[in-house]
Amino acid sequence: MPSHSSRSAPRVVKAPRPPNAWIIYRSDKAHQLPPLEPGQPRRAQAEVSKMISNMWANESEETRQEYERRAEEAKAAHALKYPGYRFKPMKKEEK
C-alpha cells in the first residue's frame, strides 16, 4: 500500500511578473561589475543596485530604448506563457 506522503497535491505555481527594462538592465550589468579584492565579502544586493542605478542614470537614450524594447519582448513572451496573467499586489496582512 503506498504511503500517504507519496501522493502530493498539485502545487499551484504563481506566475512571476514580467521583467521591466530596469530589471533586464540590472541583470545584464550585475555580471559586469568590477571584481572584489581578494578576501572582501560579497557585495550586498542593495549596493549592487545602487551601483547599477548610477550606470542606468548615465546611459544614452538609445541604450535605454534598447532595454525598453527587450522588456516589451519579454512582456509578450510572458503573455504567451501565462495567458490571463494579471498582477495582483498583496497587502502585508495577506502575506
Side-chain angles (χ1 to χ4, degrees):
M1 177 177 201
S3 69
H4 181 69
S5 63
S6 66
R7 290 186 230 153
S8 58
R11 290 186 347 165
V12 175
V13 177
K14 185 178 174 192
R17 290 176 74 180
N20 60 23
W22 159 249
I23 296 297
I24 296 169
Y25 180 83
R26 186 191 185 288
S27 179
D28 284 355
K29 297 299 177 179
H31 303 290
Q32 297 175 10
L33 292 176
L36 293 168
E37 296 293 323
Q40 291 263 328
R42 257 179 42 182
R43 288 184 180 104
Q45 289 302 306
E47 181 185 351
V48 171
S49 288
K50 221 178 263 188
M51 293 170 74
I52 296 172
S53 178
N54 289 332
M55 295 164 70
W56 177 252
N58 294 314
E59 284 292 358
S60 68
E61 188 60 31
E62 294 155 356
T63 300
R64 286 173 173 247
Q65 288 302 316
E66 174 63 20
Y67 280 94
E68 291 293 342
R69 184 193 61 73
R70 288 176 58 187
E72 286 301 318
E73 286 178 357
K75 187 177 178 181
H78 185 274
L80 290 174
K81 189 172 182 179
Y82 304 103
Y85 169 82
R86 184 166 171 249
F87 177 59
K88 298 176 204 153
M90 292 178 16
K91 294 180 183 175
K92 284 184 182 179
E93 304 87 49
E94 295 172 349
K95 288 182 181 181

